[in-house]
Amino acid sequence: MASNFTTASLPSLPPPELGPRDSLLPFLADHHLPYLVPAVFYWLISFVFHFIDTRGFFSKYKLHTSAEDLTKNRASRRDVIKFALLQQAAQCVLGYLMADDGEQFVSSEHAVALWAQQLRAVEILLLKCVHSAGLTMPWVIHGATASEPASPAVARQDLFGSLVGHSSQLTINRNQAVMPFTPAELLLAKAIYWALFPLGQYILAMILADTFQYFTHRAFHVNKWLYKHVHSMHHDIYVPFAYGAFYNHPLETIPIDGIGFPFCLSLAGLDNRQAALFGAIWTFKTVVDHCGYDFPYNPCNIVCPNSVLFHDLHHQTWGMKYNFSVYGAFWDWVMGTRWSPHDSNAQAKYRKGRAHAEFAVAKANSRAHSSEPSVGESSAVSIKA
């Protein structure tokens, strides 16, 4: 006999009340957040690391020596700031043009009830499967006929009752009214709506963005024209520092950061507020990866072990064909382009680079001291490779 439990047996939903929601900030509409929040976050974090760097704090965690900074970087910090600001200006213009100012949302009560309804439908399906398989639970469900399963709410209540020795002895019939959502169903529905589903969206966004960034980043290295005329600009910084993270050519910034990255977030279904939070999180990781300090307990290591060292290796002249991933290390591992910064060969190259930089600085200072400085000139020597 067919069961009488259909979608008509599901509790009804409250009205959706579809419409826009109030802005998170009273002075700024939500559709401006995805491109403004990461930009502000970028400079706040960069300022913190710049303060640490200029004051000489935490020097024991610094990856490179001052000699390496003097001899290796080809871009001045002033140029880096200028181009980072230009890049962010271009991203903000694109963000403004692409902003979605027509977002519509249902009420949270309707959304939670919708998830609870789906949970009830799954429970009904599972009970149908149990009944169709000829399985019975006489110690759990009291009053169900041999040909028809009890409702999920009754089954659940009698299950809990039998576990504590107080069965409810409930019975059902074809005319039984639809039971309202239970506290357990509503609690799980709220957890899905407020936490589990958004978490799934963020994970999907990370997968999409990381995949996009890996293959485009690698393409900028593999294609000689793209590297020479576009991406090599970013690699003028061999000794990374925080605000050098966005030191990129406009032909790289616009298609990748200005269009491709927001498109990945859109595919993951992130709304404006979610996109702003995601952008802030990954701006934090990008800046930290370029900060030049390997602090213990770095939260970025959760998604990419040895995150700072991993990306720092890529910035070395001998490591540019490795570690293309921006967020995690998955694609580098799959594609065979991962090089552990703790590898003995990598460590040997780091030591050789430091020794070469120290020798270059010592040689330059020796030449400066051996020659008499002319009037009005300083004997100090500034080296910029």
Side-chain angles (χ1 to χ4, degrees):
M1 181 183 297
S3 172
N4 67 325
F5 293 106
T6 64
T7 53
S9 302
L10 300 175
S12 59
L13 301 175
E17 300 178 1
L18 183 66
R21 62 185 175 189
D22 294 336
S23 297
L24 184 65
L25 301 175
F27 55 86
L28 186 68
D30 280 353
H31 61 274
H32 296 304
L33 296 177
Y35 62 88
L36 290 179
V37 169
V40 173
F41 214 58
Y42 177 85
W43 290 110
L44 288 176
I45 304 168
S46 295
F47 175 78
V48 172
F49 282 113
H50 180 70
F51 180 81
I52 291 173
D53 202 24
T54 55
R55 296 299 186 276
F57 298 148
F58 307 112
S59 57
K60 67 178 180 178
Y61 299 118
K62 196 170 176 63
L63 296 180
H64 298 279
T65 64
S66 57
E68 290 180 284
D69 190 16
L70 285 170
T71 59
K72 290 184 177 182
N73 285 346
R74 293 198 294 253
S76 68
R77 299 207 173 202
R78 178 177 296 180
D79 286 339
V80 169
I81 292 175
K82 178 180 67 177
F83 276 94
L85 288 172
L86 288 174
Q87 170 180 326
Q88 289 184 328
Q91 285 183 268
C92 287
V93 171
L94 284 172
Y96 179 82
L97 295 175
M98 298 168 60
D100 180 11
D101 59 351
E103 284 186 327
Q104 299 286 311
F105 299 90
V106 298
S107 65
S108 59
E109 293 80 7
H110 176 86
V112 169
L114 184 60
W115 279 112
Q117 193 180 71
Q118 301 308 309
L119 291 172
R120 177 67 63 83
V122 170
E123 293 176 88
I124 291 174
L125 177 62
L126 291 176
L127 285 174
K128 284 183 179 180
C129 292
V130 170
H131 179 66
S132 299
L135 302 176
T136 58
M137 297 181 290
W139 66 91
V140 175
I141 306 174
H142 303 275
T145 65
S147 59
E148 187 174 351
S151 70
V154 172
R156 185 169 49 253
Q157 185 171 347
D158 271 7
L159 172 60
F160 295 153
S162 60
L163 289 175
V164 297
H166 299 287
S167 179
S168 62
Q169 301 290 333
L170 293 178
T171 61
I172 66 163
N173 55 62
R174 293 180 178 276
N175 298 319
Q176 182 180 1
V178 176
M179 298 189 67
F181 295 122
T182 64
E185 286 174 327
L186 290 175
L187 181 63
L188 182 54
K190 289 178 180 178
I192 294 174
Y193 174 70
W194 291 109
L196 298 180
F197 186 73
L199 178 62
Q201 288 179 293
Y202 281 119
I203 293 174
L204 177 59
M206 184 186 71
I207 293 172
L208 292 173
D210 196 40
T211 301
F212 174 76
Q213 293 276 4
Y214 173 86
F215 287 101
T216 53
H217 185 191
R218 187 173 180 179
F220 274 97
H221 277 271
V222 173
N223 186 287
K224 294 182 179 180
W225 188 93
L226 286 175
Y227 182 80
K228 179 180 179 180
H229 298 283
V230 181
H231 190 60
S232 62
M233 177 177 175
H234 183 68
H235 283 277
D236 282 345
I237 303 175
Y238 291 98
V239 180
F241 47 89
Y243 48 91
F246 280 4
Y247 182 64
N248 297 314
H249 194 283
L251 291 180
E252 180 177 356
T253 297
I254 294 173
I256 295 180
D257 299 320
I259 299 176
F261 181 76
F263 182 67
C264 290
L265 305 193
S266 178
L267 285 179
L270 302 189
D271 61 38
N272 286 322
R273 293 182 186 178
Q274 289 176 308
L277 177 59
F278 187 91
I281 292 172
W282 294 115
T283 296
F284 174 82
K285 185 182 185 303
T286 302
V287 173
V288 170
D289 283 352
H290 290 82
C291 73
Y293 290 84
D294 185 27
F295 292 116
Y297 310 110
N298 179 358
C300 299
N301 293 339
I302 297 173
V303 293
C304 181
N306 303 304
S307 183
V308 175
L309 292 170
F310 179 87
H311 192 71
D312 184 84
L313 185 147
H314 175 75
H315 269 267
Q316 308 312 304
T317 54
W318 43 267
M320 289 185 182
K321 294 183 179 180
Y322 302 92
N323 298 0
F324 297 106
S325 295
V326 178
Y327 304 130
F330 173 78
W331 282 113
D332 279 301
W333 176 73
V334 170
M335 303 300 292
T337 55
R338 182 180 178 274
W339 189 357
S340 171
H342 295 297
D343 178 77
S344 58
N345 291 330
Q347 287 299 310
K349 289 181 179 295
Y350 270 119
R351 288 193 296 269
K352 183 178 179 180
R354 293 188 191 101
H356 184 271
E358 295 293 343
F359 176 77
V361 170
K363 185 177 180 180
N365 286 335
S366 176
R367 287 178 178 175
H369 288 299
S370 64
S371 61
E372 181 123 0
S374 58
V375 178
E377 292 182 340
S378 171
S379 61
V381 178
S382 176
I383 303 175
K384 185 63 66 175

